[in-house]
Amino acid sequence: MALLQILISGLATGAIYALVAVGFMLLWQTSQTINFAQGEFVMLPAFFVLGAMKFGGMPFWLAIVVGLLLSLIVLGVLFKVLLVDPMLRHGVLPLVISTIALALFFKEGVKTWYAAEAQPFPALWSNDNLEIGGAVISVQNLVIIVVAVTAVLALQWFLARTRTGRCMQATAQNPALARILGVRVERMILYTFLINAALVALASFLISPIYLAKFSNGETLGMAAFIAAIVGGFNQVRGAIAGGLLLGVVDNLAASYISTQYRGAIPLFLLIAVILFRPQGLLGRAEERSV
Amino acid sequence: MKSWNRAALAAALCLAAAGVQAQQTVNIPDVIELSGAGAVSGTNWKDGVTLAVDEINAKGGILGRKIVTTHTDTQSNPGVSRALVQKALDNDPYVLLGPVFSGSVKVNMLLAQQAEVPQFTGAEAADITQMGNPYIFRTSFGQQVSMPKIANYVRDGIKARSVAVVWVNNDFGKGGRDSFIKEMGSRGIKVVADVSTESGQVDFAADVVKVKNAGADCIFVYTNEEESARFLREAKKQGIKVPLLGETTLLGQKVIDLAGDAANGARGHVGLSVDVPVPAIQEFKAKFSKRFGYVPDHNGIKGYTAVYAIKYVTTKIGKFDRKLFAKTMHGLTITPAMEPGILIETSWDDKGDIDRISFLAEVVDGKQKVTATLPKLGK
């Protein structure tokens, strides 16, 4: 029974990591953007919602819609237009440093303009528990797993089965050739940023009722998503999903059966092992680059 | 030459004015956690201090001098707190307020001691007052006082024979965990799970699974406010049925607000609370809530009473003498009749430890409900 509960809890946490890791991976694939503000991207939508409720007096459902729209605009369009586009022409490193600065800006901004303290965030569903085979399973956890998996499967379907999705894949694989073939590369890249914004907003709405909304939440989530993407494979959606789920389960198993004190080290050991023995990630594709 | 004379005269007047200004004020800086893991505690403390300072200043200050208090943010980081305390000491303070985090106090109280500046802290780690520092004074129970009280409750109130302990891995949590486990041992209660968590931790799923599977009669949760709330939420999510016990923090209003209905049923010992049936504290709660728009927790009371203790002692000794202040504090008892701002009769011993009445409480329908009042240890 204990193992079942640990696995469900781990998969729920891992599903959130997977959502964030998929967005991380998509940005890298289409625009070589390593977004070190990805964790803060998960933190911010919750505050858009809380802000809409507090300052706009909106009901929760409307605030969620507003939060999603603001996420698409700020974390999708504005992020691309104001930061990525101007910085990317100077190379990957300046862009990486810019995203680190952006992470600090978001953190300090929320701390200054909203609150330094954690804030309760309403749950989208009931807090009830189900008893399955003697194990108590939280409805919250089940909803997180179902919603996250559905979102990622829908994304996979979109990328593989629709014309726009295939154009996005073409852009990721070879933008120059895609452009010659008539793909509107800039638009495809923008779509990727919007998808990432939607994924992080979804992750934010799912996890904030449990973690509480706090300006510093992105530190843990960003690091976990980064590790998940590398462990799973930085160039495959399925790799990011596997990495996220694996990380969540391993974290819970380690804390339950090894040590809660060293739980933070286990994902890092996993990361080191993958880099040493399978640098392309567990489900990633080996890539070679000419110098 | 004329312009030189004018400049010299202006400078002299400025210096004189500054001197007069300094004469009319007393510097009591507050070094406190306003962000990071201690933000909840620190914000409550800061607002409690602000309320007291404004009240005292509105009535003419201390011995005719207005209190000037600056609040600086330690970011819940001991290193930052040390630098800020040094900076505060450079400005020749009369008394120092804060911080709340035990780890920060341990690294900065030596500076205040060397400068012979009395320091009022909200920290609770047992060893803070065991280091022979005559300038440190608590505003709440140390763990060596509170843990025997909660241990008695585990034995006599819950009648538990086994307990699981969840603690935060910082000086506050480690000190509390060590004291609690010692008290459990002396009462023949078995500790079946000993789970350390991290300050700022957000995911408690595995920790809850671990304590749940330990099969303890009750679970003692000794973490900071936000982590306590997250633990309570996760415990409800995983359907924990055994009593969740805490010491003051777990039953604090902020934890209740953050945890929502998951806080219901939490119980334990409360050293200070705004929900206790003491009229002066109810009045404080109303004033605080009206001014700051939220219900304070015990840290708000700590900050408030610290400033009033300073006022009382300084008025008693009749001058701003730091050494005499510290000497007077040892063995002192202040009653609400002597100084209404102290709220509850409070005593300090020769180490700076505090003694006052305390309470057993339970969270019912999102409110802390006091179930019993425990007498002062000295009575």
Side-chain angles (χ1 to χ4, degrees):
Chain A
M1 296 314 123
L3 187 62
L4 180 63
Q5 276 185 250
I6 292 166
L7 287 176
I8 298 280
S9 291
L11 286 173
T13 310
I16 299 296
Y17 295 163
L19 279 178
V20 187
V22 167
F24 209 98
M25 187 278 303
L26 283 176
L27 290 190
W28 166 249
Q29 282 291 296
T30 54
S31 64
Q32 280 69 58
T33 302
I34 301 178
N35 182 19
F36 276 106
Q38 188 79 343
E40 281 64 36
F41 275 36
V42 182
M43 172 273 295
L44 204 55
F47 283 97
F48 287 152
V49 173
L50 293 176
M53 291 167 73
K54 184 177 175 183
F55 303 115
M58 295 178 195
F60 181 52
W61 67 269
L62 184 58
I64 286 280
V65 175
V66 170
L68 179 62
L69 288 173
L70 282 173
S71 300
L72 292 173
I73 293 167
V74 176
L75 307 178
V77 180
L78 294 181
F79 174 52
K80 179 181 182 297
V81 173
L82 298 181
L83 194 137
V84 177
D85 288 348
M87 293 308 296
L88 195 55
R89 67 181 71 125
H90 299 290
V92 173
L93 192 59
L95 180 58
V96 166
I97 293 167
S98 302
T99 61
I100 293 171
L102 184 67
L104 287 172
F105 174 73
F106 281 157
K107 262 197 319 193
E108 295 304 316
V110 168
K111 191 169 90 179
T112 305
W113 299 109
Y114 199 94
E117 304 166 28
Q119 305 293 314
F121 189 88
L124 293 160
W125 54 89
S126 86
N127 291 329
D128 296 339
N129 296 323
L130 300 174
E131 204 158 326
I132 302 171
V136 178
I137 307 296
S138 147
V139 173
Q140 276 185 328
N141 278 350
L142 292 178
V143 171
I144 288 175
I145 295 169
V146 169
V147 172
V149 169
T150 305
V152 174
L153 287 177
L155 177 65
Q156 280 274 53
W157 177 84
F158 173 76
L159 291 175
R161 303 284 175 184
T162 65
R163 181 181 161 76
T164 309
R166 284 196 290 271
C167 287
M168 287 171 70
Q169 288 201 58
T171 303
Q173 286 165 14
N174 193 328
L177 193 57
R179 190 171 277 117
I180 291 168
L181 292 171
V183 174
R184 297 170 80 171
V185 169
E186 287 306 313
R187 178 171 289 191
M188 295 306 123
I189 293 174
L190 177 62
Y191 287 165
T192 312
F193 277 77
L194 290 173
I195 289 171
N196 180 52
L199 288 174
V200 293
L202 184 60
S204 184
F205 302 154
L206 288 172
I207 203 66
S208 296
I210 301 166
Y211 284 8
L212 306 172
K214 188 169 181 183
F215 75 95
S216 58
N217 278 1
E219 294 164 9
T220 315
L221 286 166
M223 179 59 78
F226 185 61
I227 293 173
I230 293 175
V231 167
F234 220 80
N235 50 20
Q236 294 286 323
V237 170
R238 63 171 185 266
I241 299 166
L245 295 176
L246 179 68
L247 203 63
V249 172
V250 165
D251 181 43
N252 274 255
L253 286 172
S256 300
Y257 295 116
I258 302 175
S259 162
T260 49
Q261 278 165 305
Y262 292 102
R263 68 186 296 182
I266 306 294
L268 296 173
F269 281 131
L270 196 62
L271 177 69
I272 292 167
V274 166
I275 288 172
L276 284 177
F277 302 112
R278 197 173 162 79
Q280 69 270 35
L282 297 176
L283 299 180
R285 199 178 50 235
E287 285 181 10
E288 287 181 10
R289 294 197 174 191
S290 54
V291 180
Chain B
M1 284 300 286
K2 265 188 172 178
S3 60
W4 274 107
N5 284 342
R6 265 192 227 122
L9 182 64
L13 284 172
C14 284
L15 285 171
V20 169
Q21 179 73 15
Q23 290 269 314
Q24 291 168 343
T25 62
V26 53
N27 178 23
I28 303 178
D30 180 27
V31 177
I32 197 69
E33 292 79 4
L34 298 177
S35 62
V40 172
S41 317
T43 304
N44 270 274
W45 168 282
K46 183 199 86 170
D47 290 341
V49 167
T50 303
L51 188 60
V53 166
D54 289 352
E55 284 177 4
I56 293 168
N57 281 346
K59 290 177 183 168
I62 302 175
L63 298 179
R65 285 161 68 167
K66 296 278 175 76
I67 303 170
V68 174
T69 297
T70 50
H71 306 279
T72 48
D73 179 13
T74 68
Q75 300 167 31
S76 306
N77 179 328
V80 174
S81 85
R82 195 175 193 280
L84 292 175
V85 164
Q86 184 57 64
K87 194 176 168 188
L89 293 172
D90 290 344
N91 289 322
D92 193 28
Y94 173 53
V95 178
L96 187 64
L97 296 169
V100 169
F101 265 27
S102 301
S104 294
V105 177
K106 281 185 191 176
V107 301
N108 64 44
M109 69 180 197
L110 188 64
L111 296 174
Q113 182 185 359
Q114 285 167 344
E116 298 181 327
V117 173
Q119 180 178 9
F120 279 79
T121 175
E124 296 179 5
D127 51 354
I128 283 174
T129 46
Q130 311 298 314
M131 299 178 189
N133 179 349
Y135 289 92
I136 193 82
F137 301 98
R138 289 193 199 272
T139 51
S140 58
F141 291 134
Q143 289 157 344
Q144 74 281 17
V145 176
S146 57
M147 289 305 163
K149 293 190 176 192
I150 184 74
N152 286 339
Y153 179 60
V154 171
R155 183 190 60 195
D156 306 329
I158 306 291
K159 299 191 188 311
R161 280 186 286 182
S162 64
V163 60
V165 184
V166 180
W167 49 284
V168 59
N169 195 3
N170 57 22
D171 290 84
F172 160 76
K174 182 78 169 59
R177 175 252 180 209
D178 292 348
S179 301
F180 183 77
I181 287 181
K182 188 177 147 206
E183 297 298 332
M184 289 294 100
S186 67
R187 287 163 181 77
I189 300 168
K190 195 175 172 192
V191 176
V192 291
D194 182 12
V195 177
S196 107
T197 64
E198 291 305 314
S199 181
Q201 185 172 323
V202 290
D203 184 357
F204 284 88
D207 311 87
V208 171
V209 170
K210 195 165 183 174
V211 294
K212 188 178 178 185
N213 293 329
D217 292 337
C218 62
I219 299 166
F220 179 63
V221 184
Y222 201 66
T223 55
N224 298 120
E225 280 84 353
E226 290 172 6
E227 294 80 6
S228 294
R230 291 186 186 113
F231 185 90
L232 289 173
R233 281 180 172 239
E234 188 64 41
K236 180 177 166 61
K237 199 150 74 76
Q238 294 196 26
I240 282 199
K241 299 277 189 270
V242 297
L244 295 165
L245 308 179
E247 206 295 305
T248 304
T249 303
L250 190 73
L251 308 178
Q253 190 57 46
K254 188 66 188 179
V255 174
I256 296 171
D257 291 344
L258 290 174
D261 60 356
N264 288 333
R267 55 185 100 165
H269 174 251
V270 178
L272 272 177
S273 163
V274 293
D275 292 312
V276 299
V278 174
I281 290 190
Q282 291 306 311
E283 198 183 314
F284 161 79
K285 178 185 175 183
K287 276 190 297 193
F288 189 107
S289 305
K290 189 178 173 194
R291 166 104 182 249
F292 300 107
Y294 69 96
V295 177
D297 69 6
H298 58 291
N299 290 295
I301 303 177
K302 289 190 214 173
Y304 185 81
T305 52
V307 180
Y308 272 103
I310 295 167
K311 175 184 174 257
Y312 174 78
V313 175
T314 308
T315 309
K316 181 181 165 76
I317 60 180
K319 56 184 174 180
F320 293 92
D321 182 330
R322 289 185 286 241
K323 274 189 182 177
L324 185 56
F325 181 100
K327 198 177 163 193
T328 308
M329 279 294 298
H330 291 125
L332 178 73
T333 293
I334 308 177
T335 67
M338 296 166 166
E339 172 50 70
I342 206 73
L343 305 179
I344 306 182
E345 181 180 313
T346 307
S347 304
W348 284 266
D349 68 9
D350 58 342
K351 293 189 179 75
D353 273 317
I354 217 164
D355 190 12
R356 53 161 84 99
I357 58 168
S358 61
F359 311 89
L360 294 176
E362 182 175 353
V363 180
V364 180
D365 296 329
K367 295 277 171 206
Q368 189 189 95
K369 188 179 167 193
V370 172
T371 53
T373 302
L374 307 177
K376 283 174 79 175
L377 289 174
K379 283 192 176 175

